[in-house]
Amino acid sequence: MNDIQNQDDLYLIVDEFYKKLLADDKISYIFTDVVKIKIEKHLPILVTFWSQAILGTGGYFNNLTQIHLDVNAKSYLSKELFDIWLIHFDSAINENFAGFNCESMKNIANNLSSIMQIKIAPVKQ
């Protein structure tokens, strides 16, 4: 298998990833009922994010943390949901590619999951 080399490769991963998420009843409601994403508009934004993170292309300017905080305000994003997200994400990569960029992408996703969970966690007083 080849490593991730360009935005077409990233699009394939993100597209496969969302097919998995939307087919999983344990998490799909976040995207269909809570956020109601328009997948055809959402995928290019995610490809831009991952292209910036993996290929260094730039172009992503959204506040990733705030986006997740806003979703969490509507419906709690539990550790279980992040775990499901990571399983599908890793699977979408592993089924299609192998190599350094793949491992980097999975590591970044894992780090983002941890960071978002920390930021979402209720403050203990």
Side-chain angles (χ1 to χ4, degrees):
M1 267 194 260
N2 292 329
D3 200 357
I4 298 164
Q5 298 176 19
N6 54 48
Q7 289 190 345
D8 290 339
D9 294 344
L10 293 169
Y11 190 91
L12 188 147
I13 291 169
V14 172
D15 187 48
E16 289 298 315
F17 171 56
Y18 268 84
K19 286 176 184 171
K20 292 174 184 302
L21 288 176
L22 294 172
D24 187 331
D25 292 339
K26 295 181 297 284
I27 195 169
S28 62
Y29 72 94
I30 294 291
F31 305 96
T32 58
D33 300 337
V34 177
V35 178
K36 299 178 182 164
I37 63 166
K38 304 281 189 259
I39 198 74
E40 64 281 351
K41 291 182 181 180
H42 191 60
L43 292 184
I45 294 168
L46 293 176
V47 169
T48 300
F49 171 82
W50 285 110
S51 182
Q52 178 171 299
I54 300 302
L55 305 175
T57 57
Y60 184 84
F61 301 105
N62 295 336
N63 184 333
L64 191 61
T65 300
Q66 191 59 54
I67 290 167
H68 287 85
L69 290 173
D70 291 348
V71 173
N72 185 68
K74 294 177 184 177
S75 182
Y76 177 60
L77 297 177
S78 66
K79 178 185 182 333
E80 291 75 22
L81 290 173
F82 280 102
D83 290 345
I84 293 166
W85 186 92
L86 283 171
I87 288 166
H88 290 311
F89 192 80
D90 286 357
S91 177
I93 294 170
N94 293 336
E95 290 170 4
N96 295 285
F97 298 96
F100 180 81
N101 287 340
C102 297
E103 294 308 311
S104 293
M105 195 169 177
K106 290 186 284 186
N107 286 334
I108 291 168
N110 196 5
N111 291 340
L112 287 172
S113 172
S114 296
I115 291 166
M116 291 303 157
Q117 289 177 68
I118 290 167
K119 290 185 179 275
I120 286 169
V123 177
K124 295 182 182 179
Q125 300 188 6

